[in-house]
Amino acid sequence: MAIIAIGAGHGINTPGKRTPAGEREWSFNNKIVSAAINYLGGYENASIVRLDDPTGNTDVPLTTRTNKANNANADILVSYHHNANTGQWGTWTGTETYHYPGSSSGNTLARAIHPSIVTAMGLRDRGVKSANFHMLRESNMPSILIEGGFMDSTIDIVKMRNNGVMDNTGKALADSIASYLGLVKKDGGGTGQGYVEIVTDSLWTYNTANWNDRAVVVNRGEVFTVIRDRFPVDGGYMYQIKSGLYITANPNYVRYYTR
């Protein structure tokens, strides 16, 4: 069993953790962490220790968080944040990941996770760095702190307000954690592998869980393996298919079946 300690930084009411428009950092952090936990549920032998308050109402003290991870004998710790520069809108941008100075295991974990977050966010790669942060210093296991993007960036906030990007980044985090820990996907609980067949002449697929983020067109009769079952997206439903793309779950356009 792999024990994964993970938390969204801060709380929803933590002073100062705001965008210039008043949005709360925890709300962005929570979207990533909640999605990652959801996707990690699709892997065998993944045990989650959530370090923050899932409601966001309490900003759990840092010592409480690291004590919880240490007492659980977690295998890794991931603290997820979003950055800020001046607190006023600007064009600074990028994703960066921190480990504790001199920690070779932390550095290895950071380098295993960071590229996936950069790709999913689609922002400048600010690199893997080291810092004397409490979450990294006081944890007994390989630990990283991720800054997904800048809350006060006119570039990064576009990504952060896109729930499809947030969900896809959570998936990237989960999958990279699973790869680092050598986890394997569940078999679906014996229900059989799911598939979708296109039953209309042509149909768009999507890069992320966002109806505006079109990818490529697929055609009648094509069949795709489903890796994430039907879930709600802005008034409709989608599946995620094996390629990583998303597709509508509307039965007027696709037929779902198992075998």
Side-chain angles (χ1 to χ4, degrees), residues 74-78 97-114 128-130 136-137 139-145 180-181:
D75 292 288
I76 63 170
L77 183 153
V78 177
T97 301
Y98 290 88
H99 62 85
Y100 187 67
S103 172
S104 59
S105 61
N107 182 54
T108 298
L109 176 62
R111 295 190 181 280
I113 304 299
H114 178 74
V128 169
K129 303 178 179 181
S130 64
L136 309 179
R137 182 182 65 249
S139 52
N140 295 336
M141 68 294 301
S143 305
I144 58 174
L145 188 149
Y180 172 85
L181 293 171

Tab-separated table of all heavy atoms in Angstrom, residues 74-78 97-114 128-130 136-137 139-145 180-181:
chain	number	residue	atom	x	y	z
A	74	ALA	N	3.610	8.335	5.645
A	74	ALA	CA	3.357	8.533	4.221
A	74	ALA	C	4.619	8.284	3.400
A	74	ALA	O	5.739	8.533	3.857
A	74	ALA	CB	2.850	9.949	3.974
A	75	ASP	N	4.419	7.815	2.183
A	75	ASP	CA	5.539	7.556	1.274
A	75	ASP	C	6.015	8.828	0.587
A	75	ASP	O	7.206	8.977	0.299
A	75	ASP	CB	5.134	6.517	0.232
A	75	ASP	CG	4.918	5.151	0.855
A	75	ASP	OD1	5.915	4.524	1.244
A	75	ASP	OD2	3.756	4.723	0.973
A	76	ILE	N	5.072	9.731	0.300
A	76	ILE	CA	5.415	11.026	-0.286
A	76	ILE	C	4.467	12.085	0.271
A	76	ILE	O	3.398	11.771	0.798
A	76	ILE	CB	5.330	11.032	-1.832
A	76	ILE	CG1	3.895	10.772	-2.301
A	76	ILE	CG2	6.307	10.037	-2.440
A	76	ILE	CD1	3.682	11.007	-3.788
A	77	LEU	N	4.876	13.340	0.118
A	77	LEU	CA	4.016	14.464	0.497
A	77	LEU	C	4.007	15.461	-0.654
A	77	LEU	O	5.059	15.815	-1.191
A	77	LEU	CB	4.532	15.125	1.766
A	77	LEU	CG	3.700	16.289	2.338
A	77	LEU	CD1	3.900	16.395	3.857
A	77	LEU	CD2	4.056	17.637	1.688
A	78	VAL	N	2.797	15.912	-1.017
A	78	VAL	CA	2.629	16.928	-2.056
A	78	VAL	C	1.780	18.054	-1.490
A	78	VAL	O	0.640	17.824	-1.058
A	78	VAL	CB	1.948	16.352	-3.317
A	78	VAL	CG1	1.718	17.464	-4.349
A	78	VAL	CG2	2.781	15.225	-3.917
A	97	THR	N	8.303	23.948	-9.030
A	97	THR	CA	8.158	22.921	-8.004
A	97	THR	C	9.381	22.955	-7.090
A	97	THR	O	10.514	23.019	-7.570
A	97	THR	CB	8.014	21.526	-8.639
A	97	THR	OG1	6.860	21.518	-9.488
A	97	THR	CG2	7.861	20.448	-7.578
A	98	TYR	N	9.125	22.889	-5.777
A	98	TYR	CA	10.186	23.002	-4.772
A	98	TYR	C	10.393	21.692	-4.012
A	98	TYR	O	9.442	20.950	-3.748
A	98	TYR	CB	9.820	24.087	-3.761
A	98	TYR	CG	9.880	25.484	-4.318
A	98	TYR	CD1	8.775	26.049	-4.953
A	98	TYR	CD2	11.038	26.252	-4.205
A	98	TYR	CE1	8.824	27.335	-5.468
A	98	TYR	CE2	11.099	27.545	-4.711
A	98	TYR	CZ	9.994	28.078	-5.338
A	98	TYR	OH	10.041	29.356	-5.845
A	99	HIS	N	11.652	21.453	-3.645
A	99	HIS	CA	12.011	20.399	-2.700
A	99	HIS	C	12.931	21.021	-1.659
A	99	HIS	O	13.419	22.151	-1.820
A	99	HIS	CB	12.685	19.224	-3.404
A	99	HIS	CG	13.985	19.587	-4.068
A	99	HIS	ND1	15.194	19.610	-3.416
A	99	HIS	CD2	14.246	19.972	-5.352
A	99	HIS	CE1	16.148	19.971	-4.248
A	99	HIS	NE2	15.603	20.213	-5.444
A	100	TYR	N	13.188	20.294	-0.581
A	100	TYR	CA	14.050	20.816	0.478
A	100	TYR	C	15.508	20.833	0.014
A	100	TYR	O	15.964	19.885	-0.647
A	100	TYR	CB	13.906	19.973	1.746
A	100	TYR	CG	14.627	20.546	2.938
A	100	TYR	CD1	14.197	21.737	3.510
A	100	TYR	CD2	15.739	19.898	3.469
A	100	TYR	CE1	14.876	22.281	4.600
A	100	TYR	CE2	16.419	20.437	4.561
A	100	TYR	CZ	15.978	21.642	5.113
A	100	TYR	OH	16.639	22.180	6.177
A	101	PRO	N	16.261	21.877	0.324
A	101	PRO	CA	17.666	21.943	-0.109
A	101	PRO	C	18.464	20.724	0.353
A	101	PRO	O	18.426	20.336	1.523
A	101	PRO	CB	18.180	23.213	0.578
A	101	PRO	CG	16.966	24.056	0.781
A	101	PRO	CD	15.855	23.090	1.059
A	102	GLY	N	19.165	20.115	-0.575
A	102	GLY	CA	20.013	18.969	-0.267
A	102	GLY	C	19.297	17.639	-0.205
A	102	GLY	O	19.941	16.599	0.006
A	103	SER	N	17.977	17.646	-0.389
A	103	SER	CA	17.214	16.393	-0.343
A	103	SER	C	17.226	15.731	-1.715
A	103	SER	O	16.539	16.185	-2.638
A	103	SER	CB	15.774	16.659	0.095
A	103	SER	OG	14.999	15.490	-0.046
A	104	SER	N	17.993	14.661	-1.858
A	104	SER	CA	18.054	13.971	-3.148
A	104	SER	C	16.731	13.284	-3.462
A	104	SER	O	16.283	13.261	-4.616
A	104	SER	CB	19.192	12.945	-3.161
A	104	SER	OG	19.023	11.990	-2.144
A	105	SER	N	16.056	12.736	-2.423
A	105	SER	CA	14.773	12.075	-2.653
A	105	SER	C	13.697	13.093	-3.024
A	105	SER	O	12.839	12.826	-3.874
A	105	SER	CB	14.347	11.279	-1.422
A	105	SER	OG	14.185	12.120	-0.296
A	106	GLY	N	13.747	14.274	-2.395
A	106	GLY	CA	12.810	15.332	-2.754
A	106	GLY	C	13.038	15.820	-4.175
A	106	GLY	O	12.094	16.063	-4.926
A	107	ASN	N	14.301	15.950	-4.547
A	107	ASN	CA	14.643	16.363	-5.904
A	107	ASN	C	14.154	15.343	-6.929
A	107	ASN	O	13.607	15.696	-7.977
A	107	ASN	CB	16.150	16.551	-6.019
A	107	ASN	CG	16.566	17.015	-7.393
A	107	ASN	OD1	16.066	18.005	-7.905
A	107	ASN	ND2	17.500	16.292	-8.000
A	108	THR	N	14.318	14.065	-6.610
A	108	THR	CA	13.863	13.009	-7.520
A	108	THR	C	12.352	13.059	-7.688
A	108	THR	O	11.829	12.936	-8.809
A	108	THR	CB	14.283	11.632	-6.990
A	108	THR	OG1	15.711	11.572	-6.935
A	108	THR	CG2	13.772	10.515	-7.882
A	109	LEU	N	11.630	13.235	-6.575
A	109	LEU	CA	10.175	13.330	-6.648
A	109	LEU	C	9.756	14.552	-7.461
A	109	LEU	O	8.863	14.465	-8.319
A	109	LEU	CB	9.583	13.401	-5.237
A	109	LEU	CG	8.074	13.608	-5.151
A	109	LEU	CD1	7.323	12.450	-5.804
A	109	LEU	CD2	7.641	13.778	-3.688
A	110	ALA	N	10.384	15.685	-7.203
A	110	ALA	CA	10.044	16.909	-7.929
A	110	ALA	C	10.229	16.729	-9.427
A	110	ALA	O	9.377	17.137	-10.226
A	110	ALA	CB	10.898	18.071	-7.422
A	111	ARG	N	11.336	16.104	-9.813
A	111	ARG	CA	11.613	15.930	-11.237
A	111	ARG	C	10.708	14.879	-11.883
A	111	ARG	O	10.509	14.890	-13.100
A	111	ARG	CB	13.092	15.587	-11.443
A	111	ARG	CG	13.989	16.746	-11.035
A	111	ARG	CD	15.445	16.601	-11.419
A	111	ARG	NE	16.194	17.770	-10.956
A	111	ARG	CZ	16.215	18.941	-11.596
A	111	ARG	NH1	15.545	19.078	-12.722
A	111	ARG	NH2	16.910	19.959	-11.101
A	112	ALA	N	10.119	14.017	-11.062
A	112	ALA	CA	9.155	13.039	-11.589
A	112	ALA	C	7.777	13.666	-11.799
A	112	ALA	O	7.021	13.224	-12.672
A	112	ALA	CB	9.046	11.854	-10.624
A	113	ILE	N	7.439	14.676	-11.015
A	113	ILE	CA	6.100	15.267	-11.046
A	113	ILE	C	6.041	16.543	-11.883
A	113	ILE	O	5.096	16.754	-12.653
A	113	ILE	CB	5.638	15.590	-9.603
A	113	ILE	CG1	5.679	14.351	-8.714
A	113	ILE	CG2	4.253	16.221	-9.613
A	113	ILE	CD1	4.794	13.225	-9.141
A	114	HIS	N	7.043	17.388	-11.754
A	114	HIS	CA	7.015	18.736	-12.322
A	114	HIS	C	6.692	18.787	-13.822
A	114	HIS	O	5.829	19.588	-14.227
A	114	HIS	CB	8.346	19.433	-12.031
A	114	HIS	CG	8.454	20.803	-12.594
A	114	HIS	ND1	7.798	21.893	-12.065
A	114	HIS	CD2	9.166	21.274	-13.673
A	114	HIS	CE1	8.092	22.970	-12.777
A	114	HIS	NE2	8.914	22.620	-13.749
A	128	VAL	N	12.562	23.247	-11.421
A	128	VAL	CA	12.595	22.624	-10.102
A	128	VAL	C	13.573	23.416	-9.250
A	128	VAL	O	14.711	23.662	-9.662
A	128	VAL	CB	13.016	21.150	-10.207
A	128	VAL	CG1	13.305	20.561	-8.829
A	128	VAL	CG2	11.942	20.337	-10.924
A	129	LYS	N	13.138	23.802	-8.038
A	129	LYS	CA	13.935	24.655	-7.170
A	129	LYS	C	13.956	24.075	-5.759
A	129	LYS	O	13.229	23.128	-5.453
A	129	LYS	CB	13.332	26.067	-7.144
A	129	LYS	CG	13.206	26.702	-8.524
A	129	LYS	CD	12.564	28.071	-8.460
A	129	LYS	CE	12.459	28.699	-9.846
A	129	LYS	NZ	11.855	30.049	-9.787
A	130	SER	N	14.764	24.637	-4.915
A	130	SER	CA	14.801	24.211	-3.511
A	130	SER	C	14.500	25.407	-2.620
A	130	SER	O	14.785	26.555	-2.975
A	130	SER	CB	16.161	23.614	-3.152
A	130	SER	OG	17.188	24.581	-3.267
A	136	LEU	N	8.384	21.060	3.559
A	136	LEU	CA	9.488	20.266	3.012
A	136	LEU	C	10.510	19.913	4.095
A	136	LEU	O	11.067	18.817	4.097
A	136	LEU	CB	10.175	21.054	1.891
A	136	LEU	CG	9.249	21.609	0.803
A	136	LEU	CD1	10.057	22.394	-0.220
A	136	LEU	CD2	8.460	20.494	0.123
A	137	ARG	N	10.716	20.843	5.004
A	137	ARG	CA	11.734	20.657	6.046
A	137	ARG	C	11.287	19.668	7.124
A	137	ARG	O	12.082	18.856	7.611
A	137	ARG	CB	12.043	22.012	6.688
A	137	ARG	CG	13.128	21.967	7.766
A	137	ARG	CD	13.346	23.315	8.401
A	137	ARG	NE	12.177	23.779	9.153
A	137	ARG	CZ	11.406	24.808	8.786
A	137	ARG	NH1	11.676	25.494	7.681
A	137	ARG	NH2	10.367	25.161	9.525
A	139	SER	N	8.883	17.270	7.080
A	139	SER	CA	8.305	15.985	6.663
A	139	SER	C	9.411	14.937	6.586
A	139	SER	O	10.542	15.234	6.205
A	139	SER	CB	7.600	16.127	5.316
A	139	SER	OG	8.461	16.724	4.367
A	140	ASN	N	9.068	13.724	6.964
A	140	ASN	CA	10.052	12.632	6.996
A	140	ASN	C	10.197	11.890	5.680
A	140	ASN	O	11.062	11.020	5.552
A	140	ASN	CB	9.660	11.617	8.078
A	140	ASN	CG	9.712	12.207	9.471
A	140	ASN	OD1	10.432	13.186	9.710
A	140	ASN	ND2	8.954	11.624	10.393
A	141	MET	N	9.348	12.201	4.731
A	141	MET	CA	9.308	11.483	3.458
A	141	MET	C	9.682	12.438	2.316
A	141	MET	O	9.726	13.653	2.529
A	141	MET	CB	7.914	10.894	3.226
A	141	MET	CG	6.804	11.917	2.987
A	141	MET	SD	6.419	12.988	4.401
A	141	MET	CE	5.966	11.778	5.633
A	142	PRO	N	9.956	11.931	1.112
A	142	PRO	CA	10.171	12.819	-0.031
A	142	PRO	C	8.983	13.764	-0.179
A	142	PRO	O	7.829	13.319	-0.196
A	142	PRO	CB	10.275	11.860	-1.221
A	142	PRO	CG	10.723	10.568	-0.618
A	142	PRO	CD	10.075	10.506	0.736
A	143	SER	N	9.265	15.056	-0.280
A	143	SER	CA	8.200	16.050	-0.241
A	143	SER	C	8.445	17.133	-1.273
A	143	SER	O	9.580	17.521	-1.523
A	143	SER	CB	8.129	16.705	1.150
A	143	SER	OG	7.986	15.725	2.157
A	144	ILE	N	7.343	17.637	-1.842
A	144	ILE	CA	7.431	18.728	-2.807
A	144	ILE	C	6.318	19.733	-2.544
A	144	ILE	O	5.271	19.399	-1.989
A	144	ILE	CB	7.346	18.240	-4.271
A	144	ILE	CG1	6.049	17.465	-4.533
A	144	ILE	CG2	8.572	17.423	-4.639
A	144	ILE	CD1	5.846	17.098	-5.998
A	145	LEU	N	6.568	20.965	-2.955
A	145	LEU	CA	5.567	22.023	-2.939
A	145	LEU	C	5.489	22.578	-4.348
A	145	LEU	O	6.499	23.035	-4.897
A	145	LEU	CB	5.937	23.108	-1.936
A	145	LEU	CG	4.879	24.184	-1.686
A	145	LEU	CD1	4.960	24.699	-0.248
A	145	LEU	CD2	5.015	25.355	-2.669
A	180	TYR	N	5.511	7.373	-10.338
A	180	TYR	CA	6.630	7.449	-9.392
A	180	TYR	C	6.574	6.301	-8.383
A	180	TYR	O	7.602	5.706	-8.035
A	180	TYR	CB	6.596	8.791	-8.673
A	180	TYR	CG	7.596	8.917	-7.541
A	180	TYR	CD1	8.906	9.312	-7.773
A	180	TYR	CD2	7.213	8.642	-6.228
A	180	TYR	CE1	9.818	9.426	-6.734
A	180	TYR	CE2	8.118	8.756	-5.179
A	180	TYR	CZ	9.420	9.144	-5.439
A	180	TYR	OH	10.316	9.250	-4.401
A	181	LEU	N	5.366	5.981	-7.911
A	181	LEU	CA	5.193	4.948	-6.888
A	181	LEU	C	5.005	3.548	-7.472
A	181	LEU	O	4.921	2.572	-6.725
A	181	LEU	CB	3.990	5.294	-6.001
A	181	LEU	CG	4.151	6.542	-5.124
A	181	LEU	CD1	2.822	6.905	-4.471
A	181	LEU	CD2	5.230	6.327	-4.065
